[in-house]
Amino acid sequence: MPPRRAHHLLQLPCPAPGCARWFRNQSGLTQHRRSLHPNIPAPGPPQPSRSPSHPRDFSPPPPDFSPPPRDFSQPPQPSPPMPSEPTHEDSDNADAEFTDSSERCYRTYHSMLNGRPCTADGEFLPHGAPPTPMPQKAPDDWSPYRNRIEFEAAEFAFKKCHMSAKNLDFLCDLMAATLVKHRDVPPFADHKDLHNVIDATQLGDVPWQSFSVQYTGERPEVVPPWMDDEFDVWYRDPRAMAHNILANPTFKDEIDYTPFREYNASDKTRRWKDFMSGDWAWKQSDIISKDPETHGSALVPIILGSDKTTVSVGTGNNEYYPLYASIGNVRNSVRRAHRDALVIIGFLAIPKTDKKHSKDDAFRIFRRQLFHSSLSAILSSLKSAMTEYEVVRCGDGHFRRIIYSLGPYIADYEEQLVLSCIVKHWCPKCIAVRTNLDNGGMDRCREHTEFLIGELHGDVLWDEFGIIGDLVPFTNDFPRADIHELLSFDLLHQLIKGAFKDHLVDWVAKYLKAVHGTRRAEEIMSDIDRRGAAAPSFSGLRRFPQGRDFKQWTGDDSKALMKVFLPAIEGHVPGDMVRAFRALLEFCYLARRDVVTEDTLNQMQDALHWFHRYRQIFDLVVPTFSLPRQHSMIHYTDMIRLFGAPNGLCSSITESKHIKAVKEPWRWSSRHNALGQMLVTNQRLDKLAASRVDFDARGMLTGTILSSALAALTPDEDEQAVPPIAPQPDAHAIEPQPDIDIDDGEVVDGPTVLGYVVLAKTPQRKRARTVAALAHEVAVPDLRRLIRHFLFTQLNQDDPRDPADVPTGSLPRHEGKLQVFNSAAATFFAPSDLSGTGGMRREHIRACPLWRNEYLRNDCVFIDTDSDTQGMRGLEVARIVCFFSFKHNWEVYPCALIHWFEKIDDCADEDTGMWMVHPSFHEGGSRNLAVIHIETVFRAAHLIPMYGSEYIPHDLKFYHSIDCFRSFYVNKFADHHAFEIAS
């Protein structure tokens, strides 16, 4: 029997300030230091300073460095700190300068509703006064838990794994059996004990309440059963939930208490990003500040969202109607990152009846009015604080006077019709005639609607204005609330799943059938499917190997199709059809930007104009273009001015919340009376999250559970607890990041940096160890010469000569060992994509001879060659042949051997809007190769073949595409960051 391995206790702490990582051996610590703390010197020979050949510094910055996101127009400059919220002394329409992106900007803050700190009694504090001290808790007060082990065990078992009661009881028995020899007890006796401890938590405790609703109107002679039914609505106090979000200390640096307007310093043009930068918050503050008693308060907009969701495809009552809430003060990145800034506050009733009565007008009106009455009742606790302030403690420790307002409502088109009491096929935002929506019309408003209802008959309202006069929106019960104005954009359902997937993609199939007949059209569509499946690998790219014809089509599937569909149809459809897709895609990607400028709005209007023009090619198969979801695009620029960048109010946020708040709690339930169990589960999850925030704010969660236990040991205990450890060459940090099969991009929390690329942590031991061996392995005989040229540029950066013109004897030499790596990780600022709260995202670039034990994979990358030029004019494209590193004069050089690609033209393609490239070769036919420093790599690039009009082979695999084709599009639609840099 082989010897048992002892548990490797963590022995070595990281010496970097603020880093709480511990390691089992020196090897793990060294790798961690090199990848995350390269500025901390390591023991050994002195390291000479070196400047990379590339003029920009992309090495990982120190932990306290937070530069702005990367911009190609200027070299990176250190940015001054962004000011905190303005105080009453500097907010009187003063301009506060700060740096966001690489361009200097300034803000004008609202002078009246400026969120001045105050005491618990509402008395304003002088400028610079510290916050009122919070009640102090002992540093070891883990109540209601006895220690950290109990808390982490409860969070692990209930939140991360959500063990069943049976499995949790068995785990407790296992721990008890292990500890019985030491006369110790496990953290919990059984699952009931764990649940009781979580339930005893006071933090985050907002209890569920309910009320019943029943029909009280006129009754016919034969009363349908639904009129006698009672419908239960469950909810939590939205006011208390808003208090919890405001008081969350993790949001203290990511929350805006004052409306502001942001401008570029260079041209004085407006910028929109987070919600409080929009005009709606400013106008609300103007209205509220007419009452002098409100001056100095902070506006807190309540953002709502609702959408029915199905938890199972099985039979039974498996449909739920969750209601979510957030506040407009937290920034978009926080809301999108699902960091408890969006919470579930209710489950609305779903009235149902038999088929005989389901289409009765009375039932339909009751069902809609029940929705509005329920919302009005749930939000009633906010009403008193909408005109008179209340004092609330915020995450920075200060008390502030708070005034609430109903803010935007996140909903898809069907939900917007219910909210606005508008007839189907009409626009809930304007009174454009439903048969010609794009002709536009006056914006709807509460006053105009009430006037029409008072003057016109119900049939006229329905037919001429699309108004359901029998309903009263819930917003009529609250001050300063107009449902038509509050309906927000919906990128997911209006643009991605609507205009793109349900409209244009389906229209292509209809067009091909109308022009070529069914059989020929099916052949073309099959080739389009094969082209999409043949797209080369890329981080986050989904594939459709069997085509697009599957039933469970999700929003992520639509987003994936957007990335590859445009090149796939070119050659099979007319040019105007390709241009229509390009215009729509550009509108979608522009609207998804994290920061929207006046120039962005102009580009969106141009894209919309061209989309309306080129979509006429579909008039052969489309009876009308008067479609509400396409029509919504004309309102986007106005709504951006009102609410800021759309990515903070997209329904994809609530769709994602369905998983954690509804679907997973339902799966964890017994399925019998599941709603009650789901309510308890959500409450316990909130308590665990609130406890973690509290413990972390008090510094009680530093390091890992094991490192904290070791730190608490006495010297005698430590000597007994830590057994001798045999050398383990494969042991790394407690949280290793090996080179594993990951194709999706990763969100990265932490400080915002320009971007950097690092090689994989572990070199490949079975690959070449010398230059000669690597040259043979990758079939590059002149690799020695390429390395010598590389070293010359690194060591002689002021020498303008081309290394090819330098005598061979004058070139530096490297004949020593090297290490080969199968991948590198690029970390960069990409706030428009799914990213951490700092806007950082990471992707893996592969150069692997046998990926997934199946095929060769060599990814393509962007190389930054001209820092003074924006977009593709300052970038080149190359394919990675291999990653390697070597040491020369005590300096380690991480490198990449690349094959250059050349741009086909000096501008992008007119139809697709994408740049075109082809592999670069020398006159003799040999590949144009080079060795470059890893720091010159920006990020991965996605190339899609230019397929032309010919069918591609049925057996063509996606991993052969780069080798089988000779011309490629640089896919700017691969993700939103690629769209910004490759346009």
Side-chain angles (χ1 to χ4, degrees):
M1 180 176 178
R4 292 290 305 277
R5 295 180 62 184
H7 189 284
H8 281 202
L9 300 180
L10 305 181
Q11 311 257 352
L12 303 173
C14 175
C19 184
R21 294 279 296 276
W22 285 58
F23 299 84
R24 296 184 176 119
N25 56 29
Q26 188 63 43
S27 174
L29 175 59
T30 301
Q31 293 187 27
H32 167 77
R33 180 190 55 76
R34 287 177 177 173
S35 61
L36 296 182
H37 310 295
N39 294 332
I40 298 179
Q47 303 290 328
S49 60
R50 175 188 59 84
S51 299
S53 61
H54 192 264
R56 310 185 60 158
D57 182 11
F58 286 87
S59 59
D64 59 346
F65 176 67
S66 299
R70 177 173 180 151
D71 182 80
F72 292 101
S73 62
Q74 299 291 335
Q77 299 290 335
S79 59
M82 187 171 174
S84 58
E85 289 305 310
T87 64
H88 61 285
E89 295 187 6
D90 62 0
S91 63
D92 196 7
N93 288 329
D95 296 340
E97 289 194 7
F98 67 103
T99 297
D100 185 22
S101 205
S102 63
E103 188 172 5
R104 292 195 62 83
C105 306
Y106 66 93
R107 289 178 176 178
T108 300
Y109 293 92
H110 199 276
S111 59
M112 299 300 179
L113 262 66
N114 49 20
R116 290 176 56 183
C118 64
T119 65
D121 298 327
E123 297 295 328
F124 290 122
L125 294 173
H127 175 56
T132 305
M134 298 183 65
Q136 295 296 317
K137 295 182 180 180
D140 58 349
D141 182 6
W142 292 91
S143 301
Y145 308 93
R146 286 176 290 197
N147 49 50
R148 178 174 180 175
I149 295 177
E150 280 199 1
F151 168 70
E152 301 245 22
E155 188 179 50
F156 173 78
F158 189 85
K159 184 175 182 179
K160 296 182 180 179
C161 299
H162 204 90
M163 294 182 181
S164 65
K166 182 178 179 180
N167 289 342
L168 187 54
D169 289 344
F170 181 70
L171 178 63
C172 292
D173 290 344
L174 284 177
M175 290 188 291
T178 304
L179 298 172
V180 67
K181 181 179 179 180
H182 303 283
R183 299 185 180 277
D184 204 348
V185 295
F188 301 100
D190 51 27
H191 74 277
K192 292 182 179 179
D193 184 30
L194 182 144
H195 293 162
N196 290 336
V197 173
I198 297 176
D199 292 339
T201 305
Q202 298 299 315
L203 293 170
D205 186 14
V206 183
W208 287 94
Q209 309 172 56
S210 69
F211 58 84
S212 298
V213 182
Q214 189 176 21
Y215 178 79
T216 58
E218 297 181 0
R219 292 171 174 261
E221 293 182 2
V222 180
V223 179
W226 62 266
M227 289 188 178
D228 293 326
D229 291 341
E230 289 189 354
F231 303 96
D232 294 330
V233 178
W234 288 88
Y235 72 100
R236 291 192 283 185
D237 185 2
R239 194 169 178 175
M241 302 302 286
H243 290 179
N244 287 344
I245 297 175
L246 285 168
N248 192 329
T250 62
F251 298 159
K252 65 180 181 179
D253 298 324
E254 298 167 312
I255 192 167
D256 299 305
Y257 298 106
T258 308
F260 60 89
R261 289 171 176 167
E262 189 171 292
Y263 302 89
N264 288 327
S266 58
D267 54 9
K268 312 298 182 183
T269 56
R270 184 85 177 270
R271 294 161 41 105
W272 294 267
K273 184 180 179 183
D274 300 307
F275 180 78
M276 296 298 278
S277 67
D279 291 339
W280 183 89
W282 192 283
K283 292 177 181 177
Q284 284 282 306
S285 298
D286 286 343
I287 297 172
I288 295 171
S289 61
K290 292 179 180 178
D291 180 2
E293 294 297 321
T294 64
H295 293 181
S297 302
L299 171 67
V300 176
I302 303 298
I303 296 175
L304 300 171
S306 61
D307 183 28
K308 292 179 184 176
T309 184
T310 302
V311 295
S312 172
V313 295
T315 59
N317 187 8
N318 53 16
E319 192 176 26
Y320 293 93
Y321 206 160
L323 175 67
Y324 302 103
S326 181
I327 61 174
N329 308 84
V330 294
R331 293 171 184 163
N332 290 349
S333 59
V334 178
R335 194 177 301 111
R336 288 164 48 209
H338 309 293
R339 286 179 44 200
D340 303 316
L342 181 75
V343 294
I344 187 167
I345 63 169
F347 282 90
L348 304 176
I350 306 178
K352 294 184 178 180
T353 187
D354 52 48
K355 292 184 177 180
K356 178 180 178 181
H357 301 96
S358 62
K359 296 184 179 180
D360 291 348
D361 289 340
F363 178 70
R364 291 179 175 180
I365 295 297
F366 168 75
R367 186 173 55 190
R368 290 195 174 197
Q369 195 59 63
L370 170 62
F371 173 80
H372 287 279
S373 299
S374 299
L375 287 178
S376 181
I378 292 172
L379 301 172
S380 59
S381 63
L382 296 166
K383 191 171 184 179
S384 61
M386 290 181 174
T387 53
E388 297 182 1
Y389 66 81
E390 66 172 349
V391 179
V392 178
R393 185 187 286 272
C394 300
D396 59 358
H398 280 295
F399 286 95
R400 285 181 175 85
R401 298 178 177 183
I402 299 299
I403 294 182
Y404 300 101
S405 278
L406 291 186
Y409 203 111
I410 304 173
D412 58 20
Y413 176 67
E414 287 73 18
E415 192 87 352
Q416 289 182 0
L417 295 178
V418 177
L419 287 160
S420 57
C421 306
I422 296 299
V423 180
K424 191 175 182 179
H425 302 305
W426 288 77
C427 175
K429 301 285 291 184
C430 69
I431 60 173
V433 180
R434 67 181 182 87
T435 56
N436 189 14
L437 289 174
D438 288 338
N439 197 36
M442 182 183 71
D443 289 343
R444 295 185 187 270
C445 66
R446 174 175 170 177
E447 293 78 10
H448 182 253
T449 300
E450 291 177 346
F451 172 78
L452 293 177
I453 293 175
E455 296 293 327
L456 301 177
H457 188 271
D459 293 340
V460 178
L461 291 171
W462 184 288
D463 295 332
E464 300 296 331
F465 295 95
I467 298 174
I468 305 176
D470 298 326
L471 297 174
V472 180
F474 77 97
T475 51
N476 287 16
D477 296 334
F478 299 90
R480 307 182 304 276
D482 185 340
I483 188 58
H484 303 295
E485 181 185 46
L486 295 179
L487 294 176
S488 72
F489 9 56
D490 182 10
L491 293 169
L492 177 62
H493 294 94
Q494 291 172 344
L495 302 186
I496 299 171
K497 295 179 70 174
F500 173 73
K501 167 59 178 61
D502 294 341
H503 296 163
L504 263 64
V505 173
D506 289 350
W507 292 353
V508 167
K510 293 179 180 179
Y511 177 87
L512 292 174
K513 287 182 179 181
V515 174
H516 300 287
T518 301
R519 183 173 180 178
R520 171 71 170 164
E522 289 177 349
E523 292 178 356
I524 296 175
M525 289 304 299
S526 296
D527 187 63
I528 291 175
D529 287 341
R530 289 195 298 273
R531 291 179 175 192
S537 299
F538 189 70
S539 177
L541 182 69
R542 292 191 176 200
R543 300 197 170 278
F544 304 95
Q546 306 302 323
R548 302 167 295 101
D549 296 328
F550 51 92
K551 295 180 180 179
Q552 294 294 327
W553 192 275
T554 66
D556 287 337
D557 295 326
S558 298
K559 295 174 185 177
L561 188 62
M562 293 176 74
K563 300 177 180 181
V564 299
F565 196 71
L566 183 59
I569 63 173
E570 189 185 29
H572 286 317
V573 299
D576 279 2
M577 203 169 287
V578 174
R579 297 184 190 101
F581 270 94
R582 172 197 170 180
L584 177 63
L585 292 178
E586 289 189 345
F587 184 93
C588 295
Y589 279 70
L590 288 168
R592 187 60 173 73
R593 283 188 172 174
D594 184 59
V595 176
V596 179
T597 65
E598 289 282 4
D599 183 57
T600 308
L601 296 181
N602 293 333
Q603 293 179 51
M604 291 175 63
Q605 289 295 98
D606 289 342
L608 183 59
H609 166 75
W610 291 114
F611 172 66
H612 286 165
R613 174 178 174 178
Y614 289 125
R615 73 177 179 182
Q616 300 299 322
I617 189 70
F618 292 105
D619 60 2
L620 178 65
V621 294
V622 179
T624 178
F625 294 111
S626 184
L627 302 168
R629 285 182 289 181
Q630 282 194 27
H631 163 73
S632 67
M633 296 166 65
I634 71 173
H635 296 297
Y636 266 59
T637 55
D638 290 336
M639 287 193 287
I640 288 173
R641 290 186 171 94
L642 281 178
F643 302 139
N647 62 9
L649 295 176
C650 180
S651 62
S652 59
I653 300 174
T654 54
E655 292 274 358
S656 299
K657 192 68 175 180
H658 285 337
I659 299 174
K660 296 296 182 183
V662 182
K663 296 186 177 183
E664 287 185 351
W666 182 84
R667 296 188 192 111
W668 299 338
S669 71
S670 66
R671 312 294 199 273
H672 177 67
N673 293 329
L675 180 58
Q677 301 170 59
M678 293 161 64
L679 301 179
V680 173
T681 297
N682 274 284
Q683 193 167 8
R684 287 171 177 165
L685 290 173
D686 288 345
K687 290 184 176 184
L688 285 169
S691 295
R692 171 161 284 277
V693 168
D694 177 59
F695 297 149
D696 188 54
R698 290 191 278 150
M700 299 166 64
L701 296 178
T702 303
T704 65
I705 182 66
L706 185 55
S707 63
S708 64
L710 286 173
L713 293 177
T714 64
D716 293 339
E717 292 173 328
D718 186 53
E719 186 174 339
Q720 298 174 5
V722 183
I725 299 178
Q728 298 289 336
D730 293 331
H732 299 299
I734 187 62
E735 296 177 350
Q737 297 179 358
D739 185 15
I740 59 177
D741 185 357
I742 299 177
D743 258 358
D744 288 335
E746 308 169 27
V747 299
V748 180
D749 289 324
T752 300
V753 297
L754 296 174
Y756 57 92
V757 179
V758 294
L759 296 178
K761 293 186 176 182
T762 307
Q764 297 298 308
R765 294 174 182 162
K766 295 183 179 181
R767 299 194 63 180
R769 298 293 185 90
T770 64
V771 175
L774 182 59
H776 176 74
E777 180 181 305
V778 298
V780 180
D782 59 346
L783 179 61
R784 281 191 177 90
R785 178 181 61 84
L786 297 177
I787 292 177
R788 296 180 72 177
H789 287 180
F790 165 76
L791 281 174
F792 177 81
T793 59
Q794 293 292 301
L795 300 175
N796 303 276
Q797 295 185 37
D798 296 331
D799 194 328
R801 291 179 296 172
D802 188 328
D805 299 331
V806 178
T808 304
S810 300
L811 294 173
R813 302 175 61 89
H814 174 74
E815 302 293 343
K817 295 183 178 181
L818 52 75
Q819 293 180 320
V820 180
F821 301 82
N822 279 355
S823 69
T827 305
F828 49 90
F829 182 77
S832 298
D833 290 294
L834 185 62
S835 55
T837 54
M840 301 302 296
R841 184 170 178 81
R842 178 180 296 132
E843 66 184 7
H844 295 270
I845 305 169
R846 313 287 181 178
C848 183
L850 193 62
W851 176 248
R852 294 173 176 169
N853 292 321
E854 185 177 359
Y855 56 88
L856 176 75
R857 178 171 174 181
N858 295 94
D859 291 343
C860 297
V861 293
F862 289 111
I863 308 295
D864 194 354
T865 56
D866 187 352
S867 303
D868 298 327
T869 306
Q870 290 185 336
M872 276 296 295
R873 299 183 187 279
L875 294 173
E876 297 294 338
V877 176
R879 190 180 186 188
I880 301 294
V881 178
C882 69
F883 292 110
F884 66 96
S885 69
F886 63 90
K887 185 179 292 187
H888 181 79
N889 293 338
W890 296 105
E891 175 70 14
V892 176
Y893 292 92
C895 306
L897 175 63
I898 62 169
H899 179 196
W900 287 107
F901 278 59
E902 292 180 356
K903 296 172 184 172
I904 295 177
D905 206 342
D906 59 356
C907 62
D909 178 59
E910 291 184 357
D911 289 344
T912 63
M914 293 185 283
W915 287 75
M916 301 169 290
V917 296
H918 62 78
S920 177
F921 294 91
H922 295 298
E923 292 183 359
S926 60
R927 293 181 295 174
N928 183 7
L929 303 174
V931 174
I932 62 173
H933 199 285
I934 196 68
E935 290 177 347
T936 63
V937 175
F938 185 15
R939 59 157 298 184
H942 190 220
L943 302 186
I944 295 186
M946 298 173 63
Y947 298 107
S949 58
E950 300 296 327
Y951 289 2
I952 67 172
H954 288 262
D955 58 349
L956 178 67
K957 303 297 183 181
F958 65 91
Y959 44 82
H960 294 149
S961 294
I962 298 293
D963 297 315
C964 291
F965 292 88
R966 288 295 172 260
S967 299
F968 303 88
Y969 287 119
V970 180
N971 186 12
K972 69 177 184 179
F973 300 113
D975 54 45
H976 298 282
H977 183 254
F979 179 79
E980 295 176 6
I981 67 172
S983 294

